[in-house]
Amino acid sequence: MQPLDDVVKEFLVESLENLDRLDRSLVDLEQDPHDRENLASIFRTIHTIKGTCGFLGFGKLESVSHVGESLLSRMRDGELVLNAAITTGLLAMVDAIRRILAVVEATGGEPNEDYGELIAMLNRLNAPGQKPAAAPAATVVMAEAVAAPGPASSPVGTATDTTAPRPEHAPARATEEIPMEIEIVDARSSDERPTGGERRPAIVDTSLRVDVGLLDKLMNLVGELVLARNQILQFTTSLSDSAFIGATQRLNLVASELQEGVMKTRMQPIDNVWSKFPRVVRDLAIACGKQVRIEMVGKDTELDKTIIEAIKDPLTHVVRNSADHGIETPSARIACGKPPEGVVRLRAFHEGGQINIEISDDGAGIDPEKVRRKAVDRSMVSAEQAARMSDHEALRLIFLPGFSTAEKITNVSGRGVGMDVVKTNIEKIGGTVDIQSTLGQGTTLKIRIPLTLAIIPALMVSTGGEVFAIPQVSLLELVRLEGEHARAGIERIGAATFYRLRGNLLPLVQLHSELNLASQGDPGIVNIVVLKADDRQFGLVVDSVNDTEEIVVKPLGRQLKSVQVFAGATIMGDGHVALILDATRLAQQAHVLSADRDRKPSDRQGGPLAHETADAQTWMLFQVNGTERMAMPLHLVARLEEFATADIERSGGQEVVQYRGEILPLVSLTRFFGGTANSESDPRQVIVFSDHGRSVGLVVDRILDIVTETITPTRSQARSGILGAAVIQQRVTDLLDVAAIVRHALPESVSEPVAA
Amino acid sequence: MSTLTANAASSLAGASAPTGTARQFCTFVLDDLYFGVEVLKVQEVIRYQDMTRVPLAPGVVQGLINLRGQIVTAIDLRRRLELPERSDDARPMNVVVRTSDGVVSLLVDEIGDVVEVDDASFERPPDTISGAARALVTGVYKLKHRLLLALDVEQTTALDLESAAERRI
C-alpha cells in the first residue's frame, strides 16, 4: 500500500496547490469572461483533478468535479458565458473539492457528506433552457457515462486519455435533451465509480517538491561551509603558495554561489499568499453588498519561506478588514463623490534590506475621535490620556488587545481580536506595523519585515578588545575623525555627545560605555559607525572598524536572553566567537530611541505629554525670555544653528533667514511668549526642526542642556504654546508645544495635523 | 564537610562496589568539593577553551566557546554555586552538558572519573550545604571515602529563574 499512499499524497499536494490558483483564476475570469487562456487553464485544472481522483477511486470527488468540468467545457466552447451565479457555483465546487481533499488527507477516505445539492445546482447552471446553443459537454458526459460502468473493475483500463481531448473534438451538434441526459449521468456518477483519464499534470515537468526540513538542513550545512571558508581565507593571508591561494579563491566563489543558491530555494514570491485574496475580497464584498476591486503591485517580491508562513494570517486579516470595515457600501461611496467600486491595494517591495508590505483602501478611513472614545469606553486609556494623544497615536490604539471599532459585529471581522494579533505576529518575526488613515479617504497599513536570513553581511568592529558584528542592514555610513577633527568634531551638551553630520545633529553612543568595557582605542581617532534604528540615525563610537564578513547568525542560549543588545553570535574566520549587535536595542538602551520602538519620531510632535510612561525621553533644554526654562523632545530637533542678526530679513511680516537655498521662517520664542527680544543674543541661537519637509527655526536665548529623564508633566501651566510643566534637573521647566509654534509660523499648515 | 578530602578523585574509581540500582556519574572537583552529574547528560569533557566575553551578561556566564561550529555558553560553576573565585592562573575544564535548552558548558576546576553509585547510598542534601549550592544539588551519594554531590543540570543552567541580585555588572 505504500506506493499508493505516495500517489495519494502527491495528488493531494498537487490538487491543493492547483485549487489555490483556481480561486484566483475564477475571479479573474469573472472580470474578463472571454479570456480563453484563463478558461482553458481552469478547465485543465478541474479536469486533472477529476481524472486523477477517478483513477484513485474517489467517487464523490469525481462526481463533484465532473459537473464542474461539464460546465466549464461548455463555457470554453463559447456556449455559455460566465456570470456571477456561475462563478459562485464554481467557487462552491472548489470549496467542496477542498473539503473532500481535507478529509482524504486526514482519514484516507472520502467524507460521508452528500454533495447532491451542489451537483444539482451546478447542473441547473449548466442547463438554462433559454440558452439555445446546446452543450457539447453533454456528449462528453454521455460518452464517459457509457464508459464508466463497464471498466469499473479495472480502474486504469479503457476510459483513459480520451476524455481530455474529446470536448475539443466533439463540440457536439446541439441536442435538446441534454439537461435530462446530464441528470441521469450525474445520478449515476455519484453512485458508482466511473473512471476518468489519469493524465498527469504538466506543471511537474520543470519543478520539484522538496521537504522544507531538508532545505533547512542544507541551509545549516551551507552556513558551516561558509564558516569553514572564512577560516581558510584567513590562512591565505599568511601563506603564499599560489596553488593554495587559487584553490581557496575557487572555494570562495563556489561557496558564495552555493550559499546564494540555497537561500534562493527558500524564497517564494509573496503572490503565494496574495493569490487567495481576490477570492477572499470577492466573497466578502458579495456578503456585505459592496463592490471591491483588489489591486496588487510587486507580486514577485520574494520572501523567505518561514516569513511567508508567518505573514499569511495577519495579511488575510488586514485585507478582510479593509474590505469589510474600510470600503463603504456603493451608495455611501456615491454620496461622498467616490466611484461605487472600492479598491484594496496591496503593494510589496524591498527597501533598505527590509520587505515593505502596504495594504491600503480608499474607504472611509478611521476616525481618531471614535477610536479615542472607544478606548476610553473600554477603559484602555483614561479620557485625559486620550485627549492628549495625537491623531496618529490614537489610531495606533487599534493595535491594543480587545479593540474593535466596527459598529456592528459581522461574521467576517469586528470581534475585537485582530489588529493586536496582527501586530504580535508581525513583531514575532521582527517586523513592525504602522497605520495611517485619513478620514473619508482611506487607510493604509504598513508592514515592514526584516529579511531575516541565516547568513548576513556584517561589519566587524572592535571595542574594548572584543569584536562585534553589526548587520549591514542597519549600517548607513562610516565616519572617521582624526587629529583636530576628533577633538573639535564631537560636541557635548550635558552628558550627551553629538557629531554634526552634514549639518544634522547625530547623537553619539559610546559602545564601550554601553557595554561596560574599557575603551582601548586611540584617543586621537574617533570611529563613528552611523546606524539606522527604526527611522532614527545615531552614531556608534567604536575603537576600530575591521572589515566586512559574511556571518552565520547563531542564536544565544537562554542564559543570555536578558542581554538584549545582542541579536545573536557568530563564529569568525579565526574560529573565535563574535557577538552580533542589535542596533535598535542598543539605541534604546542608550536612550537615543525610546523603548517604545514602534513609534516613529514624528508621532511625538503633537503631545510629548502623552508619554507618562516610565520610559525616559531625551529633552533639549533652552532658555527663553531671559529666565524661562523650556524643554522640547530632542528628536524633533534637526539642527542647531547660529544666525547673525544682520542676516535676518523680513518677509510677509515674519522674520526669515536664507538657509540652505530656502527661506527659513524664524519664530522668536521670547516674543511668542510676550517678552521683548532684547535678551536675544547676537548671533541668534536657533533650533531648526523640520515638519513635512518645511523647516522652522526657533530663536531662543540660549541652549542649556540635553538630558534624558523620565518626567511627570502637569498641565497646570498650560497656555498657548505650552503643553505643561515638569521638573527637569530639579527645576520647573515648561514643555514647549511644538505643534502650536508650527501653526503660528506656518498658518497654512493648520488644516493638516502636524504629526501625521 | 570535613570528611571531604581535597585531592584527586581518581583513586575512588570503582571503589564503591555497585549493589542494587546503580547510576553512573561524571565527577569533578570545585573548591575541594566533589560534584557529579549524570553521565547521560554529559556530551563531552574538553580542556580549557578560549572564550568570548559577553558584556552585560549575568556574572555566572563566563563567555561563549566555539564547540566545532556550535556556540556554547560557558557557566562558571564556582560563581554559580557562590564558591570563592578560582585563582587567575588556574585554567578551568569544560564539562559540556545537554539540557532541555541546548548544550551548555560548565566550568570546573578539575575532572574526576566516571563513578558508579548505588541508589541506596543516596541522601537528601545535608543541612551543612549552604547557599546557592543547596538549591542546585539534588542530594548526596555516600561513597566510601567521600561524599558526591549530585548536581541538577537543569536548575544549574536555568539562569533566568534567578533573582536580579544574582547578576553582576
Side-chain angles (χ1 to χ4, degrees), chain A residues 335-391:
Chain A
C336 308
K338 296 193 214 176
E341 187 182 54
V343 180
V344 174
R345 200 169 282 118
L346 299 176
R347 198 160 90 91
F349 57 100
H350 287 266
E351 190 186 71
Q354 290 191 310
I355 299 151
N356 292 257
I357 304 170
E358 296 176 5
I359 301 105
S360 50
D361 63 65
D362 65 345
I366 302 173
D367 185 352
E369 269 317 308
K370 228 170 178 175
V371 175
R372 283 195 186 98
R373 270 206 306 278
K374 202 108 183 177
V376 173
D377 284 353
R378 303 203 173 170
S379 331
M380 287 163 163
V381 292
S382 70
E384 200 186 351
Q385 276 175 318
R388 285 193 214 136
M389 284 179 182
S390 70
D391 283 356

Side-chain angles (χ1 to χ4, degrees), chain A residues 208-229:
Chain A
L208 186 65
R209 281 201 185 77
V210 183
D211 185 43
V212 177
L214 180 63
L215 281 184
D216 286 342
K217 205 175 153 203
L218 273 180
M219 189 75 190
N220 280 337
L221 286 173
V222 169
E224 298 298 321
L225 181 69
V226 167
L227 289 178
R229 175 203 62 185

Side-chain angles (χ1 to χ4, degrees), chain A residues 642-710:
Chain A
E642 291 180 346
F643 295 116
T645 314
D647 290 340
I648 294 173
E649 302 171 60
R650 293 190 76 81
S651 158
Q654 190 168 28
E655 282 188 333
V656 297
V657 67
Q658 293 178 31
Y659 180 61
R660 299 177 158 215
E662 284 178 33
I663 297 172
L664 179 75
L666 295 180
V667 179
S668 163
L669 285 185
T670 299
R671 251 173 287 168
F672 184 88
F673 292 112
T676 47
N678 298 338
S679 56
E680 281 170 3
S681 57
D682 185 10
R684 304 231 188 136
Q685 304 286 325
V686 176
I687 300 171
V688 181
F689 70 94
S690 293
D691 174 60
H692 281 89
R694 296 162 310 193
S695 297
V696 178
L698 301 181
V699 183
V700 301
D701 293 357
R702 201 151 64 87
I703 306 286
L704 294 174
D705 202 351
I706 287 179
V707 292
T708 303
E709 252 179 58
T710 307

Side-chain angles (χ1 to χ4, degrees), chain A residues 558-562, chain B residues 58 60-61 75 80 82 100-101 135-136 152-167:
Chain A
R558 192 181 50 176
Q559 295 80 15
L560 296 170
K561 281 285 181 284
S562 60
Chain B
V60 294
V61 174
I75 291 179
R80 185 75 181 96
E82 294 172 3
S100 57
D101 190 50
L136 304 177
D152 183 332
V153 170
E154 291 292 331
Q155 285 293 325
T156 307
T157 56
L159 302 185
D160 42 356
L161 302 173
E162 295 302 314
S163 66
E166 187 82 5
R167 295 181 184 144

Side-chain angles (χ1 to χ4, degrees), chain A residues 466 516 554 558-559 575 577, chain B residues 52-53 55 66 69 101 157 169:
Chain A
E466 305 283 336
N516 283 338
K554 308 236 177 192
R558 192 181 50 176
Q559 295 80 15
V577 177
Chain B
T52 299
R53 282 188 293 161
N66 170 9
D101 190 50
T157 56
I169 302 173

